[in-house]
Amino acid sequence: ALAQASGDLASRRDLVTSIADLASGRGPHNPDGVSLTTYVLAARLERIVSIANERLDAMVTGRYELAVDHGRGGDRRRRGGLGLLVHDRWSGETRAATTLSGGETFMVSLALALGTADAVREESGGSELETLFVDEGFGSLDDDALEEVMAVLDELRAGGRAVGVISHVADMRHRIPTQLTVTRRVDGSSVSVVEDAD
């Protein structure tokens, strides 16, 4: 009787262990090492990436497209599920997002931030994130890329969002009509407002 009871408990333990390993991303039935939590987050990331690609397309004139990387990237020690890949339509190659240049990384990050804001709006019944602040990154863009990014930000502004840009790039002064200028002094910083900067 004890042997029978022990066998039943061992069988239940094996089942529970197998389910726990699957849910936590371990075990032979989960080769990509994706935990249940990561799986749910990856599904949300898929939606954000889909929306971000619409914004990114305008900024990079259709060259790059983002995709969620569900794998481990060849590293068995790493968990899979929340990586990003970039497909280059010009070369036909797909590579890790970490291989992008500084300016490209900035544009991808901006597209993802805008995609996240749009996804939040969708999931919250249409509640808008009405203000967006973009901090730096503009100095890493060439003139053409800067024009594309500013066109996307201008489109957001025209759609009713308040867009704040924090930058030290001199060329930006001509593109931003209302500015808050911070001046550092020995006795403390001062802020001045410049309307219609052009």
Side-chain angles (χ1 to χ4, degrees):
L2 284 172
Q4 177 65 39
S6 175
D8 291 345
L9 286 173
S11 180
R12 274 188 72 195
R13 181 205 62 213
D14 291 345
L15 176 63
V16 170
T17 300
S18 174
I19 292 170
D21 284 348
L22 183 65
S24 64
R26 296 188 298 263
H29 302 297
N30 195 334
D32 286 329
V34 179
S35 70
L36 182 59
T37 305
T38 301
Y39 179 80
V40 172
L41 291 174
R44 296 184 92 137
L45 182 59
E46 290 274 2
R47 181 61 188 144
I48 290 169
V49 165
S50 172
I51 299 169
N53 276 328
E54 295 172 21
R55 305 279 192 192
L56 183 62
D57 191 64
M59 285 187 252
V60 296
T61 57
R63 179 173 182 181
Y64 296 122
E65 181 178 36
L66 298 173
V68 178
D69 181 11
H70 297 289
R72 296 177 189 248
D75 186 352
R76 299 288 303 163
R77 296 167 298 173
R78 185 176 152 247
R79 295 288 173 103
L82 295 176
L84 282 177
L85 296 172
V86 178
H87 177 68
D88 187 335
R89 291 183 181 127
W90 291 4
S91 69
E93 293 181 7
T94 299
R95 55 195 167 104
T98 55
T99 63
L100 293 170
S101 71
E104 293 165 342
T105 298
F106 172 73
M107 288 188 284
V108 165
S109 297
L110 179 58
L112 286 169
L114 296 173
T116 301
D118 290 343
V120 166
R121 185 190 66 227
E122 280 182 359
E123 292 180 10
S124 65
S127 297
E128 287 281 353
L129 291 177
E130 295 175 355
T131 305
L132 172 72
F133 284 94
V134 183
D135 187 6
E136 286 305 339
F138 294 97
S140 61
L141 302 175
D142 62 34
D143 290 341
D144 292 337
L146 181 60
E147 284 299 317
E148 299 293 344
V149 168
M150 289 306 294
V152 169
L153 294 178
D154 287 343
E155 180 184 313
L156 289 172
R157 206 165 43 89
R161 283 192 183 163
V163 179
V165 175
I166 302 165
S167 180
H168 296 96
V169 177
D171 290 345
M172 297 291 289
R173 292 187 189 123
H174 306 294
R175 297 291 308 260
I176 302 169
T178 304
Q179 301 175 11
L180 295 174
T181 304
V182 179
T183 307
R184 288 184 293 189
R185 296 191 314 235
V186 176
D187 59 342
S189 297
S190 66
V191 178
S192 58
V193 177
V194 180
E195 293 284 350
D196 296 320
D198 274 346

